[in-house]
Amino acid sequence: MRGCRHRPGRAARKRRQKQESSRSVSVCHQLQYVRLMKFLHQRGFTSSLLQPALFTDTGRGLQTLQTIKPGQLLISLPESCLLTTSTVLNSYLGHYIKSWKPCLSPLLVLCVFLVCERHRGEASDWFPYIDVLPTTYTCPAYFTDDVLAVLPASVRRQALEQQETIREIHSLNQDFFRSLQPILSEPVEEVLTYAALRWAWCSVNTRSVFKSHPPNNFLSGEDVYALAPFLDLLNHQPDVKVKASFNDMTRCYEIRSVSGAQRYQQAFINYGSHDNQRLLLEYGFVALCNPHSVVYVDTDFLCDILRDDRSLVQKIIFLKENNFFHNLTVSSEGPSWRLMTALRLMSLPQTLYHHWKPVLLGQAVCEDREEWSIQTVKTVCQRLLLDTYTALDEISHLLQQCDQSAREQLLVVMSLRQEERCILGSCLEVLQGVQKRQPDDAIMP
């Protein structure tokens, strides 16, 4: 009702508590940030709204120097400040890239440029930017075997794929790397190492903004990457609304605040409607109070629970043919529609094959089969919860004997697992309530 007062929700209270507990310390006076701002000012960038700062809850970020009004321009970074493939092609690397066949990918070109520029040190034109980039990341590409082992199964599989992708990029481009020896002051094997390429790959993957570039004859694949110094200090918050894009009129990458921000608070942007598993895989962090958070039900895990079903193989084939055997999830509100629909189909015997397609289209099943589906979800959640508790115990053990690098990785995974524990517990409560309510009717036998 209009005018009715109500208590703020749990998420809102947590956000307020987070804001109240967060403290910041300006770092704009530190030499590396002084150099960065001088570098950007020389290229036409000015900023009076934001300054680099360290925050107790998120680490490095950007702090507002005055109240940001809704709709106000937060950052306008000139194209000359962006590091793109055009930057690389116009550099000392351009000749080597343009003459190499087959054509290289835009991602590889940017990675090689970052590695070479870091190798050049203060002689690099881009040193002020390279110097403020993280020296390591908490992306799965960096995870040790011990950390990989405590990830949820679906995340672990994707993390291993990420590591393999970088290994392949490094091994398949050795000939091109060797061609760059004339411009390197040390043996190429000591410069373009796997570790160096991994650092560069994570730098591009976690920090680039979207900017489409016209196709050219020197690169293969879609070219949409742009590294944006200073702008990439902005951290992600799931409920923040901004408008971000490259403005073809001003030739600047612009971020405009939709809701505004208070003075001396951290300014945030939104990377997209990503759950925390995606944020961990792509960016190396998890977000508190993420409304998009879910727990994925690994299909191999589900098949293991249902292994006694003699028609399981046929049902899996049918679900895959109908693009229904992926993105099966549960949230704090309960199981997803996709998961429940898949289980309803799996509740049917093969003799009712003619009902399989209607069930995927939303047709209800009888009371007994619906009860079986709900009970199966409960079993899934209980098994996942047991796995989560086991992983949390192992993380606690590893934290007592690891170095700082592994500790940072483990703390990120621990946050993900703790959130998973909360989601699964809430989902089980929802399912318990559903089982107490009997359906009013049943359509299928």
Side-chain angles (χ1 to χ4, degrees):
M1 292 178 60
R2 183 171 298 181
C4 179
R5 299 186 63 182
H6 61 278
R7 294 180 61 192
R10 180 173 58 182
R13 291 196 300 273
K14 284 185 177 180
R15 283 194 297 271
R16 186 181 66 247
Q17 292 167 359
K18 179 183 174 183
Q19 291 174 351
E20 292 172 351
S21 62
S22 178
R23 298 289 183 270
S24 62
V25 177
S26 172
V27 295
C28 62
H29 61 283
Q30 294 182 4
L31 179 59
Q32 61 180 163
Y33 295 105
V34 172
R35 285 172 171 168
L36 176 65
M37 298 312 297
K38 181 180 179 181
F39 166 79
L40 295 174
H41 287 159
Q42 290 173 343
R43 292 169 177 259
F45 173 66
T46 57
S47 175
S48 58
L49 296 180
L50 303 171
Q51 69 175 4
L54 286 177
F55 297 86
T56 53
D57 53 345
T58 62
R60 190 171 62 173
L62 290 179
Q63 180 186 47
T64 60
L65 293 174
Q66 62 187 60
T67 299
I68 307 298
K69 299 177 182 178
Q72 186 173 352
L73 194 63
L74 198 61
I75 288 183
S76 181
L77 192 67
E79 188 173 21
S80 57
C81 297
L82 300 177
L83 200 170
T84 66
T85 53
S86 296
T87 309
V88 183
L89 291 173
N90 291 327
S91 74
Y92 57 91
L93 283 175
H95 166 72
Y96 296 90
I97 295 169
K98 293 174 183 177
S99 60
W100 190 261
K101 299 299 177 186
C103 294
L104 305 171
S105 71
L107 176 60
L108 176 62
V109 164
L110 287 171
C111 288
V112 170
F113 184 73
L114 284 178
V115 172
C116 290
E117 290 296 282
R118 188 170 70 160
H119 169 66
R120 295 178 69 198
E122 294 191 28
S124 163
D125 291 340
W126 288 87
F127 172 75
Y129 177 52
I130 303 291
D131 193 42
V132 299
L133 288 176
T135 57
T136 187
Y137 291 89
T138 50
C139 299
Y142 276 81
F143 285 2
T144 64
D145 290 342
D146 285 342
V147 179
L148 287 170
V150 292
L151 284 169
S154 59
V155 185
R156 186 185 313 123
R157 183 169 56 251
Q158 294 176 79
L160 290 169
E161 290 172 358
Q162 186 178 105
Q163 293 186 353
E164 182 59 28
T165 294
I166 300 172
R167 273 195 284 273
E168 285 187 0
I169 293 174
H170 183 254
S171 63
L172 294 177
N173 290 282
Q174 287 297 309
D175 289 341
F176 171 66
F177 296 162
R178 281 189 284 271
S179 76
L180 302 178
Q181 186 61 72
I183 61 174
L184 299 174
S185 60
E186 297 178 13
V188 65
E189 296 82 5
E190 297 177 15
V191 177
L192 283 155
T193 62
Y194 167 77
L197 188 71
R198 178 180 60 180
W199 167 81
W201 187 93
C202 288
S203 295
V204 176
N205 197 58
T206 64
R207 310 183 75 79
S208 61
V209 297
F210 179 90
K211 182 183 181 298
S212 63
H213 305 278
N216 62 60
N217 297 325
F218 307 118
L219 302 175
S220 66
E222 192 176 20
D223 190 358
V224 294
Y225 303 99
L227 286 164
F230 188 78
L231 183 150
D232 63 7
L233 295 175
L234 286 165
N235 288 316
H236 166 80
Q237 188 163 292
D239 59 353
V240 165
K241 294 181 180 180
V242 297
K243 293 181 179 179
S245 65
F246 184 77
N247 188 324
D248 290 319
M249 297 294 292
T250 63
R251 305 306 298 174
C252 294
Y253 193 92
E254 298 178 349
I255 295 182
R256 193 173 297 274
S257 176
V258 173
S259 54
Q262 295 299 311
R263 186 183 186 186
Y264 298 136
Q265 297 298 312
Q266 182 169 187
F268 289 97
I269 56 174
N270 193 318
Y271 296 174
S273 301
H274 304 316
D275 60 70
N276 274 336
Q277 287 196 12
R278 174 74 181 277
L279 289 175
L280 174 60
L281 285 164
E282 297 294 334
Y283 303 105
F285 70 90
V286 299
L288 297 176
C289 306
N290 189 345
H292 311 293
S293 290
V294 295
V295 174
Y296 287 84
V297 179
D298 188 72
T299 50
D300 290 340
F301 176 81
L302 185 60
C303 289
D304 181 61
I305 290 178
L306 301 174
R307 62 184 180 276
D308 293 334
D309 184 350
R310 294 181 179 179
S311 59
L312 180 61
V313 173
Q314 289 82 1
K315 291 172 182 176
I316 291 172
I317 293 173
F318 185 81
L319 287 168
K320 287 182 177 179
E321 288 175 346
N322 287 274
N323 198 30
F324 231 90
F325 206 55
H326 68 284
N327 284 342
L328 305 179
T329 63
V330 299
S331 71
S332 297
E333 286 71 44
S336 67
W337 176 82
R338 288 181 66 87
L339 177 58
M340 284 305 299
T341 302
L343 288 175
R344 288 178 184 124
L345 182 142
M346 289 183 165
S347 74
L348 302 177
Q350 196 165 12
T351 54
L352 293 178
Y353 177 83
H354 57 288
H355 283 295
W356 288 12
K357 188 69 172 184
V359 167
L360 289 189
L361 295 175
Q363 180 173 301
V365 295
C366 69
E367 181 179 336
D368 288 345
R369 302 192 195 284
E370 182 70 14
E371 175 64 24
W372 179 91
S373 302
I374 294 172
Q375 185 57 47
T376 302
V377 175
K378 286 184 65 176
T379 301
V380 166
C381 289
Q382 289 164 350
R383 290 268 299 268
L384 286 173
L385 196 56
L386 180 61
D387 176 71
T388 300
Y389 277 113
T390 301
L392 285 170
D393 287 343
E394 179 61 19
I395 290 171
S396 297
H397 172 70
L398 291 171
L399 283 171
Q400 298 174 9
Q401 55 188 25
C402 65
D403 58 23
Q404 182 60 29
S405 177
R407 179 179 180 80
E408 292 175 356
Q409 298 171 16
L410 285 167
L411 290 176
V412 173
V413 178
M414 183 172 71
S415 295
L416 183 70
R417 284 294 200 170
Q418 288 172 336
E419 177 193 65
E420 189 176 70
R421 179 183 59 193
C422 294
I423 291 174
L424 292 169
S426 297
C427 186
L428 282 169
E429 291 179 6
V430 171
L431 292 170
Q432 193 67 33
V434 170
Q435 283 188 313
K436 292 179 180 178
R437 300 192 300 271
Q438 296 296 324
D440 296 329
D441 51 52
I443 296 179
M444 287 189 51

